[in-house]
Amino acid sequence: MLATDICGGEEQSEQVDFATQIRPILSDNCFFCHGPDASHREGGLRLDQAEEAFSEGDSGETAIVPGKPDQSELLLRILSDDPDLRMPKHESGKQLEPGEVALIKRWIEEGASWDDHWAYQSPQKRILPRIVNHDWSLNHVDRYIGSRLEKESLVPAEDADFITLVRRLHLDLTGLPPEPEVVEAFVRDSHPNRYEHLVDRLLASPQFGERMAMYWLDLVRYADTVGYHGDQDHNISPFRDYVITSFNDNLPFDQFTREQLAGDLLAERKPSDRKENIRRQIASGYNRLLQTSHEGGVQKKEYLAIYAADRIRNVSGVWMGATMGCCQCHDHKFDPFTMRDFYSMAAFFSDIDEEKTFAGSNTVPTKREPEMFVFTDSESEKLDAIQQRRKTLSSQPEENKDLIAQLDKQQKAIEGQARRTMITVAVEPRIVRILPRGNWLDDSGVLVEPAVPQFMGAIETDGRRADRLDLANWLTNPENGCGLLTSRVFVNRLWYLFFGRGLARQLDDFGGQGVPPSHAELLDHLALDFVEANWDIKQTVRTLVLSRAYRLSSRSKTPQQEDPENIFLARQNRSRFAAETIRDAALAISGLLQEQRGGDSVKPYQPPGYYRHLNFPERTYHADADDRQWRRGLYVHWQRQFLHPMLRAFDAPQREECTAERSQSNTPSAALVLLNDPTFIEAARVFAERILREGGSTDDARLAFAFQRAVSRKPDTIEMGFLRDLLRQTRQEYRRHPEAAEKLCQIGLHANNDDCDPIDLAAWTTVARGILNMHETITRN
């Protein structure tokens, strides 16, 4: 048995750890009735705080008596045969496992040591652990991983082979598979730092920002539509481009935070050059990403409450890993957040101009002022020239009115081509009060001012009202704020991106219902390093991918029953690509992928009639009829109510809420999308043309070429046999049905007009479809 079972199993060789073994049991089974929520607390007993758990309760009994399990009412109630006394109550649906009961008993016998919840303790840097196998460790990450593996008597997997490693790096850092030439060059390269050079090149590539933006947009629930009622389009794509650029420019995470929460206030109070001020204003569009309704009969007061709750759920989830949405109607059942905390946090955002939101319309796009024009560098230069010319002419307006009118016309033409984007504009803050039971009709609650959760301290403002910029600074202040919690949350999510699961398994809940970290000291070390490196995202990513732990094979050296969930990281984790990456990989392999960055969202093929239930107004989907069709999935139009079917089939979120981890399903719908979606059919046919054009003169050479382009390696004997049989059988089939071959060759934007044999092209298209549908083609190993 493992030396420390973080799931709460019993282990006799070490002292029971309260944070990882006992607190999760109490939180899951006891806190609902005996936790932070005073209004629903039963028996006057609170088990989430030591001073109350160890004190005499209303019944005259003491729940926990250190060293004396036979006098501890908690254990006596758990073990009671009397259904009226037994805890948890039968109607709760909770029941402790025998191992959990034994663990609580042992913990009390050992003195019932108590720690505050791990997430709300300041991380401490400790001396790096020692490991026996010094040569295995490449950096401090490996010291923690290696030490834990040795402690658990687990043997790490071998290093991944070069091909797997290069492919993994490209997928993790760019979201695209590598070109075969890149893989071959790496394998041939004998430079001792070739791996480090590859990492640095990929971190510096523009695709890195696109890959990281995919994840951040899930967190902040970016979408191209409003979500509620008619789900009309709104103008926000420049925010997506801001996120991409920020990751590529390695904008420090604390600055990234300030610009999104309070970019408008930064531009006003700390003005910089025009380009930076525009960037900050675009970033402030974060505050406008929530779902809104533009129905004519909306109750403003009701929707102000809905919008406020939406914002707090997102801010607390994205930056704090907290579930403050649970406090909208009552104090949190499991964590020390109160209703007052919830509405005090909402007060930070009460200065956002919402009046213009209610003036929206049933048009596409809807009106969601305030908005601003976003110009390209070229357009900005032209506008500057127009303004300068106008100043020159304004000294004699009557004489120059025709010229001025011409300049006005030119300016309108430029503005007509420019994109618009929603921004935040501060107004006089609205009054915010606690809504009893979350009822927006009840005005009896007390008024609150902007404030952070009481148990986490306070923001010092010298008497002035705190605002969103204060909140952003507090979220990233490691000394007088919750910056170290924010850092823990973010580096845990980075770990998830590069290892397939977080060190703390539940990415969106660092509270009592979450799972304690498997490697708490490593998480603390990474969080402190991130802050000390001035919130340098690329440096942290570089540290992770340069570790030996990252480079391990996903094939275990130890029987997996000893650690089936790979909690202790004896190997890498496999995972299916994200929805956008599946699309991008097919386009890249075929050669269709268009690498243009930024701009309006694009509309790929979609089944006819999919929008038939969209109203206010009714809409007909029009797929792009040019090369925009082949842009990366990151740029696909994100319709909240009717997400593109391909994205939905592969578990992309609708982005109504913060999504820290996407689910992964395995359904027939996904397989059918890969086979029948027009994008994948056309990618397969264009891939077939490429195979015939570049793959050599024999079938075997072409099969090897196609296979290697898709999965970065050559097929083995068995795989080659399958591919030969597939090619032979499809050739025979299309010879019997030449009309089907002709039809396949004419599908889509890239209909084939070459002189190649339609039957041969159709057969190779079927082979290409098979290769694009392989598990390995869409799997990160």
Side-chain angles (χ1 to χ4, degrees):
M1 186 177 287
L2 303 176
T4 304
D5 184 347
I6 67 167
C7 298
E10 185 181 7
E11 169 55 51
Q12 298 293 333
S13 62
E14 291 191 355
Q15 186 169 355
V16 177
D17 181 72
F18 175 78
T20 61
Q21 294 177 290
I22 300 301
R23 190 179 185 95
I25 298 173
L26 298 179
S27 179
D28 191 42
N29 295 280
C30 310
F31 284 4
F32 188 85
C33 298
H34 303 291
D37 186 3
S39 62
H40 293 85
R41 193 177 301 138
E42 298 189 12
L45 174 62
R46 183 170 185 177
L47 291 174
D48 65 313
Q49 291 185 349
E51 59 268 26
E52 299 201 31
F54 294 152
S55 300
E56 188 176 289
D58 292 351
S59 65
E61 307 291 344
T62 302
I64 301 168
V65 182
K68 299 179 180 180
D70 57 335
Q71 297 180 26
S72 298
E73 190 69 12
L74 170 69
L75 187 61
L76 296 176
R77 289 295 190 100
I78 291 172
L79 294 173
S80 176
D81 293 329
D82 186 338
D84 293 330
L85 296 177
R86 188 185 307 125
M87 293 292 172
K89 292 180 179 179
H90 175 74
E91 55 266 30
S92 72
K94 303 282 187 180
Q95 183 174 355
L96 272 66
E97 298 292 333
E100 294 175 323
V101 177
L103 203 62
I104 291 174
K105 183 182 180 202
R106 252 189 66 216
W107 170 65
I108 297 174
E109 288 174 340
E110 292 172 356
S113 63
W114 190 287
D115 285 320
D116 291 334
H117 184 58
W118 66 270
Y120 305 128
Q121 297 182 48
S122 295
Q124 303 293 325
K125 221 165 206 182
R126 300 171 176 87
I127 297 173
L128 289 176
R130 296 179 179 179
I131 61 173
V132 175
N133 187 0
H134 295 286
D135 294 337
W136 185 83
S137 173
L138 296 177
N139 63 18
H140 64 268
V141 170
D142 299 322
R143 292 280 290 274
Y144 288 101
I145 300 298
S147 172
R148 189 61 178 275
L149 291 175
E150 290 175 357
K151 184 178 179 181
E152 307 296 342
S153 301
L154 294 172
V155 180
E158 300 288 348
D159 289 353
D161 62 82
F162 288 156
I163 293 174
T164 298
L165 193 56
V166 174
R167 183 173 174 82
R168 181 188 297 165
L169 262 183
H170 276 77
L171 290 167
D172 284 353
L173 296 183
T174 71
L176 295 170
E179 293 289 326
E181 300 79 23
V182 173
V183 179
E184 291 173 0
F186 183 87
V187 172
R188 290 195 308 268
D189 191 352
S190 59
H191 195 285
N193 295 326
R194 59 180 170 174
Y195 181 77
E196 289 81 356
H197 293 161
L198 178 59
V199 168
D200 291 339
R201 182 172 64 78
L202 295 177
L203 286 172
S205 70
Q207 292 88 354
F208 173 76
E210 292 177 316
R211 187 268 179 274
M212 295 298 293
M214 279 171 47
Y215 185 63
W216 188 257
L217 298 182
D218 275 2
L219 291 172
V220 299
R221 74 240 189 281
Y222 169 91
D224 289 296
T225 62
V226 302
Y228 291 136
H229 192 52
D231 199 25
Q232 300 92 353
D233 296 6
H234 57 197
N235 296 313
I236 196 59
S237 62
F239 176 85
R240 177 240 295 138
D241 299 345
Y242 158 82
V243 173
I244 296 169
T245 302
S246 296
F247 280 114
N248 278 331
D249 291 347
N250 203 23
L251 189 70
F253 185 75
D254 59 340
Q255 183 68 9
F256 189 49
T257 297
R258 281 190 289 272
E259 291 184 352
Q260 289 176 84
L261 290 173
D264 57 315
L265 302 181
L266 273 174
E268 177 186 325
R269 295 179 196 171
K270 297 181 180 180
S272 184
D273 61 77
R274 186 179 70 174
K275 196 168 185 178
E276 184 170 355
N277 284 336
I278 289 173
R279 186 191 77 208
R280 291 167 170 176
Q281 289 178 301
I282 293 171
S284 75
Y286 161 76
N287 295 311
R288 312 291 308 286
L289 293 174
L290 76 171
Q291 295 188 92
T292 57
S293 176
H294 302 278
E295 180 189 0
V298 296
Q299 295 286 331
K300 289 185 181 181
K301 192 174 177 183
E302 177 187 15
Y303 273 84
L304 285 174
I306 290 172
Y307 298 163
D310 190 323
R311 287 196 173 101
I312 301 313
R313 289 196 304 272
N314 195 260
V315 169
S316 65
V318 172
W319 278 276
M320 300 164 64
T323 54
M324 287 192 69
C326 297
C327 306
Q328 183 179 359
C329 304
H330 52 74
D331 291 349
H332 205 291
K333 296 289 186 182
F334 306 100
D335 300 323
F337 297 109
T338 65
M339 282 185 74
R340 187 180 189 93
D341 293 335
F342 179 89
Y343 289 99
S344 296
M345 284 281 283
F348 280 110
F349 299 90
S350 65
D351 68 335
I352 295 173
D353 186 357
E354 302 282 22
E355 282 300 315
K356 296 186 178 69
T357 296
F358 293 114
S361 61
N362 290 334
T363 58
V364 178
T366 190
K367 295 176 181 177
R368 283 199 61 193
E369 297 287 353
E371 296 181 343
M372 65 177 285
F373 287 111
V374 179
F375 301 104
T376 64
D377 290 343
S378 173
E379 289 168 341
S380 294
E381 290 173 4
K382 291 177 182 177
L383 287 172
D384 287 344
I386 289 171
Q387 293 299 327
Q388 193 62 42
R389 179 67 171 148
R390 191 197 302 274
K391 284 182 181 179
T392 304
L393 296 174
S394 62
S395 58
Q396 296 177 308
E398 285 301 318
E399 296 179 18
N400 298 316
K401 65 179 181 180
D402 291 340
L403 289 173
I404 292 173
Q406 189 175 355
L407 292 173
D408 288 343
K409 187 176 180 181
Q410 292 174 8
Q411 180 171 331
K412 286 181 180 178
I414 294 171
E415 290 175 349
Q417 296 174 349
R419 283 189 292 166
R420 294 173 65 88
T421 192
M422 296 181 292
I423 60 173
T424 301
V425 172
V427 295
E428 185 68 23
R430 293 178 296 279
I431 290 174
V432 176
R433 63 176 72 245
I434 296 175
L435 301 180
R437 300 179 64 85
N439 183 0
W440 61 275
L441 291 170
D442 189 339
D443 286 335
S444 66
V446 299
L447 298 177
V448 293
E449 292 291 304
V452 298
Q454 188 173 10
F455 80 96
M456 302 182 82
I459 295 176
E460 298 297 331
T461 60
D462 296 327
R464 67 172 174 80
R465 178 189 172 96
D467 57 29
R468 287 177 282 115
L469 185 54
D470 295 311
L471 175 63
N473 289 331
W474 178 81
L475 286 168
T476 54
N477 186 326
E479 296 172 354
N480 300 310
C482 78
L484 293 175
L485 171 61
T486 298
S487 180
R488 261 199 192 120
V489 169
F490 187 71
V491 298
N492 187 57
R493 288 169 177 167
L494 288 180
W495 188 276
Y496 155 73
L497 291 180
F498 301 108
F499 289 87
R501 59 179 293 159
L503 291 170
R505 182 68 184 85
Q506 205 152 338
L507 303 179
D508 57 358
D509 189 356
F510 269 34
Q513 289 296 96
V515 179
S518 57
H519 299 71
E521 293 183 358
L522 171 56
L523 182 57
D524 283 359
H525 194 120
L526 292 169
L528 289 166
D529 277 358
F530 186 41
V531 172
E532 289 168 6
N534 296 316
W535 303 88
D536 188 320
I537 296 171
K538 286 189 178 182
Q539 180 173 314
T540 303
V541 171
R542 191 176 192 275
T543 296
L544 298 184
V545 300
L546 288 181
S547 67
R548 172 63 58 84
Y550 175 82
R551 305 185 205 190
L552 295 179
S553 170
S554 58
R555 296 184 177 183
S556 179
K557 203 172 185 179
T558 306
Q560 289 194 13
Q561 60 266 27
E562 296 189 23
D563 185 15
E565 295 185 37
N566 196 28
I567 292 170
F568 302 109
L569 300 163
R571 55 183 167 83
Q572 256 287 2
N573 288 303
R574 293 191 186 113
S575 60
R576 192 196 66 201
F577 294 174
E580 299 95 320
T581 306
I582 291 174
R583 168 189 166 85
D584 295 349
L587 297 179
I589 291 164
S590 67
L592 276 174
L593 185 66
Q594 295 294 310
E595 290 278 15
Q596 177 191 347
R597 283 172 192 89
D600 289 326
S601 295
V602 298
K603 294 186 174 181
Y605 300 126
Q606 184 170 284
Y610 184 59
Y611 280 4
R612 65 187 179 278
H613 297 303
L614 271 178
N615 290 294
F616 309 107
E618 294 181 355
R619 268 152 282 180
T620 302
Y621 184 86
H622 298 286
D624 290 325
D626 54 22
D627 283 348
R628 288 176 295 175
Q629 180 76 239
W630 315 121
R631 296 191 62 201
R632 293 191 68 168
L634 171 72
Y635 299 107
V636 169
H637 176 79
W638 214 274
Q639 185 87 31
R640 276 178 164 136
Q641 287 186 18
F642 290 88
L643 185 62
H644 190 281
M646 181 267 152
L647 298 175
R648 192 161 194 166
F650 286 99
D651 305 306
Q654 292 174 271
R655 292 182 176 160
E656 296 175 349
E657 298 285 346
C658 169
T659 303
E661 182 175 6
R662 293 186 182 184
S663 59
Q664 284 210 356
S665 62
N666 187 6
T667 66
S669 297
L672 291 170
V673 164
L674 286 178
L675 280 170
N676 299 322
D677 186 300
T679 294
F680 289 91
I681 293 177
E682 191 157 355
R685 200 197 59 247
V686 173
F687 187 22
E689 294 170 4
R690 186 172 192 177
I691 294 166
L692 291 168
R693 186 173 62 250
E694 303 174 18
S697 57
T698 67
D699 285 350
D700 279 5
R702 288 170 172 170
L703 290 171
F705 169 85
F707 196 92
Q708 190 169 13
R709 278 210 62 81
V711 297
S712 308
R713 66 175 179 86
K714 293 181 180 178
D716 61 27
T717 303
I718 295 175
E719 291 162 338
M720 183 63 90
F722 282 137
L723 292 172
R724 288 191 192 113
D725 287 346
L726 179 60
L727 180 61
R728 175 180 52 79
Q729 291 171 12
T730 53
R731 274 177 174 156
Q732 291 173 354
E733 190 67 23
Y734 281 122
R735 285 183 183 125
R736 286 195 293 269
H737 302 282
E739 71 285 355
E742 288 282 359
K743 183 177 180 180
L744 182 61
C745 292
Q746 297 304 316
I747 290 176
L749 299 179
H750 287 261
N752 184 269
N753 297 312
D754 296 340
D755 295 330
C756 64
D757 179 5
I759 290 174
D760 207 33
L761 177 58
W764 278 103
T765 298
T766 301
V767 170
R769 290 174 77 188
I771 290 173
L772 292 178
N773 275 265
M774 292 193 308
H775 175 74
E776 188 174 348
T777 307
I778 61 170
T779 300
R780 178 261 198 203
N781 287 308

